[in-house]
Amino acid sequence: MPEIADFSLIVPPLLKEGDILGIIAPSGPWKKDEFQQGVSILENHGFRVRLPDHLPTGKGYLAGSARQRLRTIEQIWKDPEIKAVIPVRGGYGCLPILDFLDYQFIRANPKLLVGFSDVSGLLQAIYKYSNLLTLHGPMLTTLNKCDKGSLAYFFDRLTGRATLRLSPQGLKVLKPGNGSGIMTGGNLTTLTHLMETSYEVSWRNKIVFLEDVGESPYRIDRLFTHLYMAGRFKDVAGLILGEFCNCGNEKEIYDRVLELFQQENFPVWAGFPVGHGKKNLTLPVGVGVEMNCAEGELVIKL
């Protein structure tokens, strides 16, 4: 088991034009056209792209063997010229390689890591054991699917130009009140599977955001109910529901969440633009945030 970091949060250096971005393949297989479209978007925004010696493209439901997927992370992270790390895509595959990462080396050589979906597990592990700020946001093969606002915010976040006050249109305040705490979260299914592992990050006094894709309403209900019964929502500072794409009627999800948390004191928002849809704002994991319900504004204290 890796040693838990007990230092102050490390914020990796921000990017500037001409910096090199490294590509990793920790999860599922990918399509060449989507891959090339993502590379072109990064290059068109003034960045250079570097691949590991061997980037596995597909082995069933995985990009490659566990060793191949791990090797992409190791090689890219050891390259001193690379300033940020971007996975090709999510899917599944991060969980089996978490035990084999060198978290001390990652902590000593901080780089911006951005991703979501299955990569939520990797973000959580590196935050916990390397004490490194990570970014929940688009990956290489999803960049071409983002709307203009999310894509612009992605690059603004990488370069430090992003606004720290977010007031997204369509935000729903399901339960009012203000909340503040360290932000954490990601994909609901992935984070549920981290429960009772050494990579689970406590939600106590945290602002937690959750999203998912392709899960039927009863499965979303089961995941929330499981986490609730296991006490994972006890003493959270606030809950933010992102998009639940292709998960049935979102109102059913919201109603079930309100039913679960009707006696709790923390605020609950829904419809926040984060997740598998076209709107996927890049959020920092590990920094303080404030939910201002009166203004419908998320304030990032970075």
Side-chain angles (χ1 to χ4, degrees):
M1 182 182 300
E3 179 183 353
I4 296 178
D6 57 358
F7 317 106
S8 298
L9 181 72
I10 299 171
V11 179
L14 297 171
L15 303 186
K16 61 184 183 299
E17 187 174 346
D19 278 345
I20 301 175
L21 310 183
I23 306 302
I24 61 174
S27 303
W30 40 273
K31 298 177 181 178
K32 291 184 178 180
D33 58 337
E34 293 179 342
F35 180 95
Q36 190 53 54
Q37 288 171 355
V39 170
S40 296
I41 290 172
L42 294 177
E43 292 178 340
N44 290 339
H45 280 79
F47 297 102
R48 292 179 287 165
V49 174
R50 183 169 295 174
L51 310 180
D53 291 339
H54 174 66
L55 190 69
T57 60
K59 183 180 180 181
Y61 56 84
L62 297 165
S65 68
R67 181 58 197 156
Q68 289 173 326
R69 302 194 316 277
L70 177 66
R71 178 59 181 161
T72 67
I73 302 175
E74 293 175 335
Q75 185 177 353
I76 290 299
W77 217 286
K78 288 178 180 179
D79 187 332
E81 293 186 322
I82 290 174
K83 304 302 180 185
V85 181
I86 301 180
V88 178
R89 60 155 296 190
Y92 172 74
C94 282
L95 189 63
I97 64 179
L98 296 182
D99 279 347
F100 303 99
L101 290 171
D102 187 340
Y103 295 97
Q104 290 185 347
F105 181 86
I106 290 172
R107 181 169 64 229
N109 299 272
K111 304 178 191 291
L112 286 172
L113 170 66
V114 56
F116 74 111
S117 192
D118 178 61
V119 180
S120 296
L122 185 60
L123 301 182
Q124 296 288 302
I126 288 179
Y127 166 67
K128 181 173 183 177
Y129 287 110
S130 301
N131 223 17
L132 196 66
L133 176 144
T134 58
L135 297 175
H136 183 280
M139 295 175 285
L140 189 68
T141 58
T142 69
L143 288 173
N144 69 313
K145 302 172 186 175
C146 292
D147 66 5
K148 291 182 179 179
S150 298
L151 189 61
Y153 196 75
F154 169 81
F155 286 108
D156 284 348
R157 174 61 61 203
L158 291 179
T159 56
R161 298 191 300 263
T163 178
L164 299 180
R165 310 182 80 93
L166 296 172
S167 301
Q169 292 184 346
L171 182 71
K172 301 175 179 64
V173 178
L174 301 185
K175 285 192 67 196
N178 294 332
S180 61
I182 300 297
M183 172 169 276
T184 191
N187 180 258
L188 173 62
T189 298
T190 299
L191 298 190
T192 301
H193 288 306
L194 289 185
M195 192 169 63
E196 290 300 322
T197 73
S198 61
Y199 303 100
E200 181 183 14
V201 173
S202 171
W203 290 354
R204 183 179 177 84
N205 299 324
K206 302 283 200 319
I207 301 294
V208 180
F209 66 92
L210 297 169
E211 62 82 31
D212 220 318
V213 62
E215 300 286 355
S216 57
Y218 84 89
R219 290 174 64 88
I220 297 293
D221 183 342
R222 183 164 62 193
L223 290 164
F224 273 109
T225 303
H226 182 189
L227 290 167
Y228 177 80
M229 295 177 67
R232 292 313 190 265
F233 290 105
K234 185 177 181 180
D235 298 323
V236 303
L239 176 62
I240 299 175
L241 304 181
E243 292 197 42
F244 287 82
C245 297
N246 302 319
C247 293
N249 188 330
E250 285 194 322
K251 186 178 183 303
E252 289 184 3
I253 296 173
Y254 301 162
D255 288 345
R256 176 54 181 153
V257 168
L258 280 175
E259 184 179 34
L260 278 174
F261 303 127
Q262 59 182 330
Q263 301 301 322
E264 306 295 340
N265 295 321
F266 55 81
V268 180
W269 292 357
F272 198 89
V274 60
H276 284 75
K278 291 183 178 180
K279 297 181 178 181
N280 186 17
L281 296 184
T282 304
L283 299 177
V285 173
V287 302
V289 299
E290 179 181 350
M291 296 170 66
N292 184 332
C293 288
E295 302 295 331
E297 183 178 65
L298 181 70
V299 182
I300 301 171
K301 302 174 181 179
L302 183 60

